[in-house]
Amino acid sequence: MKFYTTIIAFYFFCIHSYSQIDSIQLPKVDMKIGTLVEPHFDFYVTKNGSILYEKDTIKIYEVKQVLYRPIKNYGLSMMHAKKYVHIFADERVNYSLIDSIKTEIASTNSSRYIIYRSNLDSKHRRNIKGIKHQSPISYFSYLPLEYIPVQDDSEAQEHLNEDISDFPRVPNKNSVEWKHQTSIETAVYSLQKDLLNDKLKSISYECLTMTNNGLFDKQNKLISKETLRELLTKNEAIFLSYASDLKYGKYISTIALLKELKPNFESLPNLAEIIEISAQIQNLHKEVEIQLCD
């Protein structure tokens, strides 16, 4: 009797999980993203803020742990290799939750880019739609013990040789070239007030806020597409923060617009670097009394 009860409970659990996933209203982005790469990690976020991975509901802190679980049939070395992360999030969910998920992923230093999906198809390798977008870094890191390949473990060595950590690092301040080696993003996320202030003095920048009604500047003026194009041309950096009530769908709309004006956020010489400001770094800035866009 206990066996049948377990089977029935598992059946209803699966039905509930699939129902939650099917109810997700993905953002409307008709853009194909290359070919599906295996293995990949799919996180689902429902309207009510539930996070699902492989049909299981997980807590926010478990997101980073999932990325370092052993992957069946891929070997332990893949735990340390570059990760391909897909987020299937309901466009009605608060963006603050997505921001927290991004920060958890960034803390693993294993996936600088996230694919925000706009279709649920994960079987047809050439039908992947959404936006591939670079995420901000995390001040904290979550890493497993170092993988030590045994002799002749060529496959493991191949994975470990991949550039899995293109997250910028703060250079040694004693270095003669430390000012020139430090990127704007690294300065922002370093919590080093002198380093950041020194960097900001040498560049032109603009602070914008993403809201459900569009992009606004520090004077609370709505930024048109043409104005945004000018700002990208006139400045070396644009810092993007978000309103507390921003919905995920509106965030994706803003990112889609920015990608239209600056394809793939590439380092084009005549366009500003776009740097997202996470809630994590905003809170840390307040603790150490750093003012960036306040």
Side-chain angles (χ1 to χ4, degrees), residues 87-144:
I87 291 181
F88 300 79
D90 195 297
E91 62 182 0
R92 300 165 293 180
V93 74
N94 287 335
Y95 173 71
S96 58
L97 176 58
I98 307 301
D99 174 71
S100 296
I101 293 173
K102 289 163 60 173
T103 299
E104 290 292 304
I105 294 170
S107 72
T108 67
N109 287 9
S110 64
S111 182
R112 191 72 210 269
Y113 290 86
I114 294 175
I115 295 177
Y116 301 98
R117 294 290 300 276
S118 61
N119 71 334
L120 288 169
D121 191 350
S122 287
K123 295 180 180 179
H124 300 91
R125 298 174 63 87
R126 299 186 180 279
N127 190 38
I128 307 305
K129 292 185 178 182
I131 290 180
K132 182 179 179 181
H133 177 47
Q134 179 174 300
S135 287
I137 57 181
S138 171
Y139 181 73
F140 301 101
S141 292
Y142 174 85
L143 299 169

Coordinates of all heavy atoms in Angstrom, one line a residue, residues 87-144:
I87 N 17.5 30.6 -18.7 CA 16.5 31.0 -17.8 C 15.1 31.1 -18.5 O 15.0 31.9 -19.5 CB 16.8 32.3 -17.1 CG1 18.0 32.0 -16.1 CG2 15.6 32.8 -16.3 CD1 18.4 33.3 -15.3
F88 N 14.2 30.3 -18.1 CA 12.8 30.4 -18.6 C 12.0 31.1 -17.5 O 11.5 30.4 -16.6 CB 12.3 29.0 -18.9 CG 13.0 28.2 -19.9 CD1 14.2 27.6 -19.5 CD2 12.6 28.1 -21.2 CE1 14.9 26.8 -20.4 CE2 13.3 27.3 -22.1 CZ 14.5 26.7 -21.7
A89 N 11.8 32.4 -17.6 CA 11.2 33.1 -16.5 C 9.9 33.8 -17.0 O 9.8 34.3 -18.2 CB 12.1 34.2 -15.9
D90 N 8.9 33.8 -16.1 CA 7.6 34.5 -16.5 C 7.8 36.0 -16.6 O 8.5 36.6 -15.7 CB 6.6 34.1 -15.4 CG 5.2 34.5 -15.8 OD1 4.9 35.7 -16.0 OD2 4.3 33.5 -15.9
E91 N 7.3 36.6 -17.6 CA 7.5 38.0 -17.8 C 6.9 38.8 -16.8 O 7.2 40.0 -16.6 CB 7.0 38.4 -19.2 CG 5.5 38.2 -19.4 CD 5.1 38.6 -20.8 OE1 5.9 39.0 -21.6 OE2 3.9 38.5 -21.1
R92 N 6.0 38.3 -16.0 CA 5.2 39.0 -14.9 C 5.9 39.0 -13.6 O 5.5 39.7 -12.7 CB 3.8 38.5 -14.8 CG 3.0 38.6 -16.1 CD 1.8 37.7 -16.0 NE 2.1 36.3 -16.0 CZ 1.2 35.3 -15.9 NH1 -0.1 35.6 -15.9 NH2 1.6 34.0 -15.9
V93 N 7.0 38.2 -13.4 CA 7.7 38.1 -12.2 C 8.5 39.3 -11.9 O 9.0 40.0 -12.9 CB 8.6 36.8 -12.1 CG1 9.8 37.0 -13.0 CG2 8.9 36.4 -10.7
N94 N 8.7 39.6 -10.6 CA 9.6 40.8 -10.3 C 11.0 40.6 -10.8 O 11.6 39.5 -10.5 CB 9.5 41.1 -8.8 CG 8.2 41.7 -8.4 OD1 7.5 42.3 -9.2 ND2 7.9 41.5 -7.1
Y95 N 11.6 41.5 -11.4 CA 12.9 41.4 -11.9 C 13.9 41.2 -10.8 O 15.0 40.6 -11.0 CB 13.4 42.6 -12.8 CG 14.8 42.5 -13.2 CD1 15.3 41.6 -14.1 CD2 15.8 43.4 -12.6 CE1 16.6 41.5 -14.4 CE2 17.1 43.2 -12.9 CZ 17.5 42.3 -13.8 OH 18.8 42.2 -14.1
S96 N 13.6 41.7 -9.6 CA 14.6 41.6 -8.5 C 14.9 40.1 -8.2 O 16.1 39.8 -7.8 CB 13.9 42.2 -7.2 OG 12.7 41.6 -6.9
L97 N 14.0 39.2 -8.4 CA 14.3 37.8 -8.2 C 15.3 37.3 -9.3 O 16.2 36.6 -9.0 CB 13.0 37.0 -8.3 CG 13.2 35.4 -8.2 CD1 13.9 35.1 -6.9 CD2 11.8 34.7 -8.3
I98 N 15.1 37.7 -10.5 CA 16.0 37.4 -11.6 C 17.4 37.9 -11.4 O 18.4 37.3 -11.6 CB 15.5 37.9 -13.0 CG1 14.0 37.4 -13.2 CG2 16.3 37.4 -14.1 CD1 13.8 35.9 -13.2
D99 N 17.4 39.2 -10.9 CA 18.7 39.8 -10.5 C 19.4 38.9 -9.5 O 20.6 38.7 -9.5 CB 18.5 41.2 -10.0 CG 19.7 41.8 -9.5 OD1 20.6 42.2 -10.3 OD2 19.9 42.0 -8.2
S100 N 18.7 38.4 -8.5 CA 19.3 37.6 -7.4 C 19.8 36.3 -8.0 O 20.9 35.8 -7.6 CB 18.3 37.3 -6.3 OG 17.9 38.5 -5.7
I101 N 19.0 35.7 -8.9 CA 19.5 34.5 -9.6 C 20.7 34.7 -10.4 O 21.7 33.9 -10.4 CB 18.3 33.9 -10.5 CG1 17.2 33.5 -9.7 CG2 18.8 32.8 -11.4 CD1 15.9 33.1 -10.5
K102 N 20.8 35.8 -11.1 CA 22.0 36.2 -11.9 C 23.2 36.3 -11.0 O 24.3 35.9 -11.3 CB 21.7 37.5 -12.6 CG 20.8 37.4 -13.8 CD 20.2 38.7 -14.2 CE 21.3 39.6 -14.7 NZ 20.7 40.9 -15.3
T103 N 23.0 36.9 -9.8 CA 24.1 37.1 -8.9 C 24.6 35.7 -8.4 O 25.8 35.5 -8.2 CB 23.7 38.0 -7.7 OG1 23.3 39.3 -8.2 CG2 24.8 38.2 -6.7
E104 N 23.7 34.8 -8.1 CA 24.1 33.5 -7.6 C 24.9 32.8 -8.7 O 25.9 32.1 -8.4 CB 22.8 32.7 -7.3 CG 22.1 33.1 -6.1 CD 22.8 32.9 -4.8 OE1 23.2 31.7 -4.6 OE2 23.1 33.9 -4.1
I105 N 24.4 32.9 -10.0 CA 25.2 32.3 -11.1 C 26.5 32.9 -11.2 O 27.5 32.2 -11.4 CB 24.3 32.4 -12.4 CG1 23.0 31.6 -12.3 CG2 25.2 31.9 -13.6 CD1 22.1 31.8 -13.4
A106 N 26.6 34.2 -11.2 CA 27.9 34.9 -11.3 C 28.9 34.5 -10.2 O 30.1 34.5 -10.5 CB 27.6 36.4 -11.3
S107 N 28.4 34.2 -9.0 CA 29.3 33.9 -7.9 C 30.1 32.6 -8.2 O 31.1 32.3 -7.6 CB 28.5 33.7 -6.6 OG 27.7 32.6 -6.6
T108 N 29.6 31.8 -9.2 CA 30.3 30.5 -9.5 C 31.4 30.7 -10.5 O 32.2 29.8 -10.7 CB 29.3 29.5 -10.1 OG1 28.9 29.9 -11.4 CG2 28.1 29.2 -9.2
N109 N 31.5 31.9 -11.1 CA 32.5 32.2 -12.1 C 32.6 31.2 -13.2 O 33.6 30.9 -13.8 CB 33.9 32.3 -11.4 CG 34.1 33.6 -10.6 OD1 33.2 34.3 -10.4 ND2 35.3 33.8 -10.2
S110 N 31.4 30.6 -13.5 CA 31.4 29.6 -14.5 C 30.6 29.9 -15.8 O 30.6 29.2 -16.7 CB 30.9 28.3 -13.9 OG 29.5 28.5 -13.5
S111 N 29.8 31.0 -15.7 CA 29.0 31.4 -16.8 C 28.8 32.9 -16.9 O 28.0 33.5 -16.1 CB 27.6 30.7 -16.7 OG 26.8 31.0 -17.8
R112 N 29.5 33.6 -17.7 CA 29.4 35.0 -17.9 C 28.2 35.4 -18.6 O 27.6 36.5 -18.5 CB 30.7 35.6 -18.6 CG 30.7 37.1 -18.5 CD 31.1 37.6 -17.1 NE 30.5 38.9 -16.7 CZ 31.2 40.0 -16.9 NH1 32.4 40.0 -17.4 NH2 30.6 41.1 -16.5
Y113 N 27.7 34.5 -19.5 CA 26.5 34.8 -20.3 C 25.3 33.9 -19.9 O 25.5 32.7 -19.6 CB 26.8 34.6 -21.8 CG 27.8 35.6 -22.4 CD1 29.1 35.5 -22.2 CD2 27.3 36.8 -23.0 CE1 30.0 36.4 -22.7 CE2 28.2 37.7 -23.5 CZ 29.5 37.6 -23.4 OH 30.4 38.5 -23.8
I114 N 24.2 34.5 -19.9 CA 22.9 33.8 -19.7 C 22.0 33.9 -20.9 O 21.9 35.0 -21.5 CB 22.2 34.3 -18.4 CG1 23.1 34.1 -17.2 CG2 20.8 33.7 -18.2 CD1 22.5 34.7 -15.9
I115 N 21.3 32.8 -21.2 CA 20.3 32.9 -22.3 C 18.9 33.0 -21.7 O 18.5 32.1 -21.0 CB 20.4 31.6 -23.2 CG1 21.8 31.6 -23.9 CG2 19.3 31.6 -24.2 CD1 22.0 30.4 -24.8
Y116 N 18.3 34.1 -21.9 CA 16.9 34.4 -21.5 C 16.0 33.9 -22.5 O 15.9 34.5 -23.6 CB 16.7 35.8 -21.2 CG 17.7 36.4 -20.1 CD1 18.8 37.1 -20.5 CD2 17.4 36.2 -18.8 CE1 19.7 37.6 -19.5 CE2 18.3 36.6 -17.8 CZ 19.5 37.3 -18.2 OH 20.3 37.8 -17.3
R117 N 15.3 32.8 -22.3 CA 14.6 32.1 -23.3 C 13.2 32.7 -23.5 O 12.5 33.2 -22.6 CB 14.4 30.6 -22.9 CG 15.7 29.8 -22.9 CD 16.3 29.7 -24.3 NE 15.3 28.9 -25.1 CZ 15.2 27.6 -25.2 NH1 16.1 26.9 -24.4 NH2 14.3 27.0 -25.9
S118 N 12.8 32.6 -24.8 CA 11.4 33.1 -25.2 C 10.6 32.0 -25.8 O 9.5 32.2 -26.3 CB 11.5 34.3 -26.1 OG 12.2 33.9 -27.3
N119 N 11.1 30.8 -25.8 CA 10.3 29.6 -26.2 C 10.8 28.4 -25.3 O 11.9 28.4 -24.8 CB 10.5 29.3 -27.6 CG 11.8 28.7 -28.0 OD1 12.8 29.0 -27.4 ND2 11.9 27.9 -29.1
L120 N 9.9 27.5 -25.1 CA 10.2 26.3 -24.2 C 10.9 25.2 -24.9 O 11.2 24.2 -24.2 CB 8.9 25.9 -23.6 CG 8.2 26.8 -22.5 CD1 6.8 26.4 -22.2 CD2 9.1 26.9 -21.2
D121 N 11.1 25.2 -26.2 CA 11.6 24.1 -26.9 C 13.1 23.9 -26.6 O 13.9 24.7 -26.8 CB 11.5 24.3 -28.4 CG 11.8 23.1 -29.2 OD1 12.3 22.1 -28.6 OD2 11.5 23.1 -30.4
S122 N 13.4 22.7 -25.9 CA 14.8 22.4 -25.6 C 15.2 21.1 -26.3 O 16.3 20.6 -26.0 CB 15.0 22.3 -24.1 OG 15.0 23.6 -23.5
K123 N 14.4 20.6 -27.2 CA 14.7 19.4 -27.9 C 15.3 19.6 -29.3 O 16.2 18.9 -29.8 CB 13.4 18.5 -28.0 CG 12.9 18.0 -26.7 CD 11.7 17.2 -26.8 CE 11.1 16.7 -25.5 NZ 9.9 15.9 -25.7
H124 N 14.8 20.7 -30.0 CA 15.3 21.0 -31.3 C 16.4 21.9 -31.2 O 16.2 23.1 -30.8 CB 14.1 21.6 -32.2 CG 13.0 20.6 -32.3 ND1 11.9 20.6 -31.4 CD2 12.7 19.6 -33.2 CE1 11.0 19.7 -31.8 NE2 11.5 19.1 -32.9
R125 N 17.6 21.5 -31.5 CA 18.8 22.2 -31.2 C 18.9 23.5 -31.9 O 19.6 24.4 -31.5 CB 20.0 21.3 -31.6 CG 20.1 20.0 -30.8 CD 21.2 19.2 -31.3 NE 22.6 19.8 -31.2 CZ 23.3 19.7 -30.1 NH1 22.9 19.0 -29.0 NH2 24.5 20.3 -30.0
R126 N 18.2 23.7 -33.0 CA 18.3 24.9 -33.8 C 17.1 25.8 -33.7 O 16.9 26.7 -34.4 CB 18.5 24.6 -35.3 CG 19.8 23.8 -35.6 CD 20.1 23.6 -37.0 NE 21.3 22.9 -37.3 CZ 22.5 23.4 -37.2 NH1 22.7 24.7 -37.0 NH2 23.6 22.6 -37.4
N127 N 16.3 25.5 -32.7 CA 15.1 26.3 -32.4 C 15.1 27.0 -31.1 O 14.1 27.1 -30.4 CB 13.8 25.5 -32.5 CG 12.5 26.3 -32.6 OD1 12.5 27.3 -33.2 ND2 11.5 25.8 -31.9
I128 N 16.3 27.5 -30.7 CA 16.4 28.1 -29.4 C 16.2 29.6 -29.6 O 17.0 30.3 -30.3 CB 17.8 27.9 -28.8 CG1 18.1 26.4 -28.8 CG2 18.0 28.5 -27.4 CD1 17.1 25.6 -28.0
K129 N 15.2 30.2 -28.9 CA 14.9 31.6 -29.1 C 15.0 32.4 -27.8 O 14.7 31.8 -26.7 CB 13.5 31.8 -29.7 CG 13.3 31.3 -31.1 CD 12.0 31.6 -31.6 CE 11.8 31.1 -33.1 NZ 10.5 31.5 -33.7
G130 N 15.4 33.6 -27.9 CA 15.5 34.4 -26.7 C 16.7 35.5 -26.9 O 17.0 35.9 -28.0
I131 N 17.3 35.8 -25.8 CA 18.4 36.8 -25.8 C 19.6 36.2 -25.0 O 19.4 35.8 -23.8 CB 18.0 38.1 -25.2 CG1 17.0 38.9 -26.1 CG2 19.2 39.1 -24.9 CD1 16.5 40.2 -25.6
K132 N 20.7 36.2 -25.6 CA 22.0 35.9 -24.9 C 22.6 37.2 -24.4 O 22.9 38.1 -25.2 CB 22.9 35.1 -25.8 CG 24.2 34.7 -25.1 CD 25.1 33.9 -26.1 CE 26.4 33.5 -25.4 NZ 27.3 32.8 -26.3
H133 N 22.8 37.2 -23.1 CA 23.2 38.5 -22.5 C 24.2 38.3 -21.4 O 24.2 37.4 -20.6 CB 22.0 39.2 -22.0 CG 22.2 40.5 -21.3 ND1 23.0 41.5 -21.8 CD2 21.8 41.0 -20.1 CE1 23.1 42.5 -21.0 NE2 22.3 42.3 -20.0
Q134 N 25.2 39.2 -21.5 CA 26.3 39.2 -20.4 C 25.8 39.7 -19.1 O 25.1 40.7 -19.0 CB 27.5 40.0 -20.9 CG 28.6 40.1 -19.9 CD 29.8 40.8 -20.5 OE1 30.4 40.4 -21.5 NE2 30.2 41.9 -19.8
S135 N 26.1 39.0 -18.0 CA 25.6 39.4 -16.7 C 26.7 40.1 -16.0 O 27.9 39.9 -16.2 CB 25.2 38.1 -15.9 OG 24.0 37.6 -16.4
P136 N 26.3 40.9 -15.0 CA 27.3 41.6 -14.1 C 28.0 40.5 -13.3 O 27.5 39.4 -13.1 CB 26.4 42.5 -13.3 CG 25.0 41.9 -13.3 CD 24.9 41.3 -14.6
I137 N 29.1 40.9 -12.7 CA 29.9 40.0 -11.9 C 29.3 40.0 -10.4 O 28.5 40.8 -10.1 CB 31.4 40.3 -11.9 CG1 31.6 41.8 -11.4 CG2 31.9 40.1 -13.3 CD1 33.0 42.2 -11.4
S138 N 29.8 39.1 -9.6 CA 29.4 39.1 -8.2 C 30.7 39.4 -7.4 O 31.8 39.0 -7.7 CB 28.9 37.7 -7.9 OG 28.8 37.5 -6.5
Y139 N 30.4 40.1 -6.3 CA 31.5 40.4 -5.4 C 32.1 39.1 -4.7 O 33.2 39.0 -4.4 CB 31.1 41.4 -4.3 CG 32.2 41.8 -3.4 CD1 33.3 42.6 -3.8 CD2 32.2 41.4 -2.1 CE1 34.3 43.0 -3.0 CE2 33.3 41.7 -1.2 CZ 34.3 42.5 -1.7 OH 35.3 42.9 -0.8
F140 N 31.2 38.2 -4.4 CA 31.5 37.0 -3.7 C 31.7 35.8 -4.7 O 31.0 35.8 -5.7 CB 30.5 36.6 -2.6 CG 30.3 37.7 -1.6 CD1 29.2 38.5 -1.7 CD2 31.2 37.9 -0.6 CE1 29.0 39.5 -0.7 CE2 31.0 38.9 0.4 CZ 29.9 39.7 0.3
S141 N 32.5 34.9 -4.3 CA 32.7 33.7 -5.2 C 32.3 32.4 -4.4 O 32.6 32.3 -3.2 CB 34.2 33.6 -5.6 OG 34.5 34.7 -6.5
Y142 N 31.8 31.5 -5.2 CA 31.4 30.2 -4.6 C 32.1 29.1 -5.6 O 31.7 29.0 -6.7 CB 29.9 30.0 -4.6 CG 29.4 28.6 -4.2 CD1 29.3 28.3 -2.9 CD2 29.1 27.7 -5.2 CE1 28.8 27.0 -2.5 CE2 28.7 26.4 -4.8 CZ 28.5 26.1 -3.5 OH 28.1 24.9 -3.1
L143 N 33.1 28.5 -5.0 CA 33.9 27.5 -5.9 C 34.1 26.2 -5.2 O 34.3 26.2 -3.9 CB 35.2 28.1 -6.2 CG 35.2 29.4 -7.0 CD1 36.6 30.0 -7.0 CD2 34.7 29.2 -8.4
P144 N 34.0 25.1 -5.9 CA 34.3 23.8 -5.3 C 35.8 23.6 -5.2 O 36.6 24.5 -5.6 CB 33.8 22.8 -6.3 CG 33.9 23.5 -7.6 CD 33.8 25.0 -7.3

